[in-house]
Amino acid sequence: MKAVCWMGKSKVETLTVEDPQLLNPHDAIIKITRTAICGSDLHLYDGFIPTMESGDILGHEFMGIVEEAGKEVTNLRRGDRVVVPFTIACGNCLFCKKKIWAACDNSNPNAHLMEAAYGYSGSGLFGYSHMMGGYAGGQAQYARVPFANVGPLKIENDLPDEKVLFLSDIFPTGYMAAENAQIQPGDTVAVWGCGPVGQFAIASAFMLGAARVIAIDRLPERLEMARSLGAITVDYSEEDVSVLTALKDLTGGIGPDACIDAVGLEAHSAQLQGTYDKIKVALLMETDRPSVLRQAIQAIRKGGTLSVPGVYGGLLDKVPFGAAFGKGITMKMGQTNMHNYMKPLLERIENGQIDPSYIISHRITLDQAPEMYKVWRDKKENVTKIVIDPWAETAA
Amino acid sequence: MSPALNEKPFAEELPAASAAGVILDGRYLPPPEDKDGKLWVRTSALVQADAQELYAMWHDVEAAPAWQEQISQVVTTGERISHWTMQSDEKTIEWDSEILADEPGRRIAWRSIGGESDNAGEVIFEEAPGGRGTIVTVLQEFRMGKLTSAWETFVGRNPKQAVIENLRHFKALAETGEIPRAKHQPHGDRGVIGKMKASTYGEKVPIPSGSN
């Protein structure tokens, strides 16, 4: 089959590899009908996530048709149409029973690598480094899905793939970000980063009762999209704009009730601290560039809630923990507990509350993927979301 | 020294186990230190199954190859004795193991009695606080020297890590009926460095079969 492989920092190739096989009784093989490139794949592209190896198949947002089901998979049959969650969960450990699916104890075969870095291992993820499981990803024509009796969501309507594909990660991730922000009716919510997760966080914040959402980014196409959802936008790259002042001005001086960092470890900053973080990362004195996290802690109101769906990987420098303590804020974060959200959010799509396909800007083939990683990383061609049809041929 | 396993199981009798060898008289007990040619590892796992069921699974030594890395065969040869074969690539080591203590639903202790492995160990099953499952604690001792080098060469893993991984496999098998695995999946060319790293990640050690 064809698959998009990580071949080193800033190096992605579409290669012909072997087809996946059933390896365990709860596995299923999915013939992928649509897959996507996630903003978090750019962290892999840029070499920020350790334990990626040459040859690893990328991709964790995918859906398709069950090709083959293992002998213990009783709920799926060949031909079923499914969306696959990017976190892999066993359904039986203490964490799955507590519905903290992203903390599953049993789905990461390389848990020892993560234990060394984080103390304990989270769940395995598709196509996201050996530390996170070493599972082959879904930017391919087929994928092996472990614990297929627990994760995949059956789609039993005739909605097109593009409307339900984002149940695999970014819609639930944006929704959980808004839920983690503990939004009360009437709240003002600030969202840093208006990429796909930020977009769904904005939409979800309104669903959960926010009276005002303030969206912060620098790319015009994203800010335009955020305004179309009803958000007020702040372009941090404009010379005369201070985000902290803007958030005070828009909240009567008290700051947002909730802040959502949908940017994560590769934040850009127009200020001196952007340069500072780039130097410290280059000198291996920190691993992540936390300028959004710093700003959100500074901006949030007293007693507010900071929700972090943006990915962080390692060690951060100069995080103003004193400000966090001094204001008594709550912080909630982590990989998405996908399995809690897929079904209820599918219902919201089915009843017409939201059509997640509005964020798609590019539809490509597997062969075009390597080039599009670069285009998206460099923020060219007004990319907002790239969807791949793994069976389409590139026109010559 | 933990009272859970006597430091000299070859010379003295095992004392009665305390609460999984981790608590004594309300105080936390650190694991024994490596010294005098011995290497110790203590590890624990919280498993969603009852103690009796887990005890039975551990006690079924002939099924150990399903969840213990590189154990190719175990044959019961006496009431308390079994013969173990460990295989890696083309090398094989064998030893006999004797059960020293056997308390159904609670505790098993063993030691090697001759052969190419010099080890002793104990496993304790106890209900977790709040009834949240069963805490399984394993304490394992190895003699250094021949054994360690054999383990490191044969297993491709640090011997302590092998004990930790085996308990992880045991827990996964008990909770889900299978052992998670990512080997033998499709991938592009690994290159020279990638192949080397597969070894450092422990990915060269075959994952036991589980229920396959």
Side-chain angles (χ1 to χ4, degrees), chain A residues 24 26 53 56 106 110 144, chain B residues 175 178-179 190 201 203:
Chain A
N24 265 343
H26 296 94
E53 290 311 325
D56 286 349
N106 288 321
N110 294 331
R144 165 195 169 228
Chain B
E175 288 188 334
E178 66 180 52
I179 296 173
R190 291 284 183 216
Y201 294 160
E203 290 184 352

Side-chain angles (χ1 to χ4, degrees), chain B residues 18 33 42 60 62 67 69 103 111:
Chain B
S18 68
E33 287 178 19
R42 189 175 71 194
D60 181 9
E62 293 197 347
W67 58 272
E69 292 180 350
E103 300 170 34
R111 66 173 184 184

Side-chain angles (χ1 to χ4, degrees), chain A residues 1 5-7 15-21 23-27 50-57 71-72 90 92-94 97-98 105-113 115 121 130 133-136 142 144 146-147, chain B residues 45-49 131-133 157 161 164-165 168-169 171-195 197-203 207-212:
Chain A
M1 66 167 183
C5 297
W6 189 92
M7 302 304 287
L15 301 174
T16 299
V17 300
E18 286 180 16
D19 288 350
Q21 308 290 328
L23 299 176
N24 265 343
H26 296 94
D27 287 356
T51 73
M52 281 301 288
E53 290 311 325
S54 181
D56 286 349
I57 299 175
K71 62 179 195 285
E72 297 292 333
C90 79
N92 294 314
C93 67
L94 182 75
K97 284 184 174 175
K98 284 177 174 290
D105 248 353
N106 288 321
S107 58
N108 185 351
N110 294 331
H112 65 283
L113 295 174
E115 283 173 352
S121 172
H130 289 253
Y135 289 105
Y142 294 93
R144 165 195 169 228
F147 297 117
Chain B
L46 175 63
V47 186
Q48 301 303 297
R132 291 184 179 176
R157 262 205 215 285
Q161 193 63 34
I164 293 167
E165 294 308 319
R168 202 192 307 281
H169 300 326
K171 168 187 155 77
L173 187 57
E175 288 188 334
T176 73
E178 66 180 52
I179 296 173
R181 64 193 71 232
K183 293 185 190 65
H184 308 298
Q185 295 189 120
H187 57 78
D189 184 16
R190 291 284 183 216
V192 178
I193 293 170
K195 281 173 192 154
K197 282 195 180 166
S199 181
T200 47
Y201 294 160
E203 290 184 352
I207 300 283
S209 62
S211 53
N212 288 335

Side-chain angles (χ1 to χ4, degrees), chain B residues 9-88:
Chain B
F10 300 94
E12 298 166 23
E13 286 195 5
L14 285 163
S18 68
V22 172
I23 302 167
L24 183 65
D25 297 334
R27 292 184 179 85
Y28 169 73
L29 274 175
E33 287 178 19
D34 296 345
K35 60 176 182 184
D36 301 335
K38 283 191 222 165
L39 196 139
W40 296 85
V41 55
R42 189 175 71 194
T43 180
S44 63
L46 175 63
V47 186
Q48 301 303 297
D50 71 48
Q52 192 63 45
E53 186 187 326
L54 296 173
Y55 161 87
M57 195 172 142
W58 198 290
H59 199 269
D60 181 9
V61 291
E62 293 197 347
W67 58 272
Q68 293 198 25
E69 292 180 350
Q70 302 193 331
I71 299 296
S72 54
Q73 194 184 43
V74 182
V75 179
T76 305
T77 51
E79 198 186 329
R80 299 173 89 87
I81 312 225
S82 49
H83 184 75
W84 291 61
T85 307
M86 185 172 179
Q87 194 160 9
S88 149

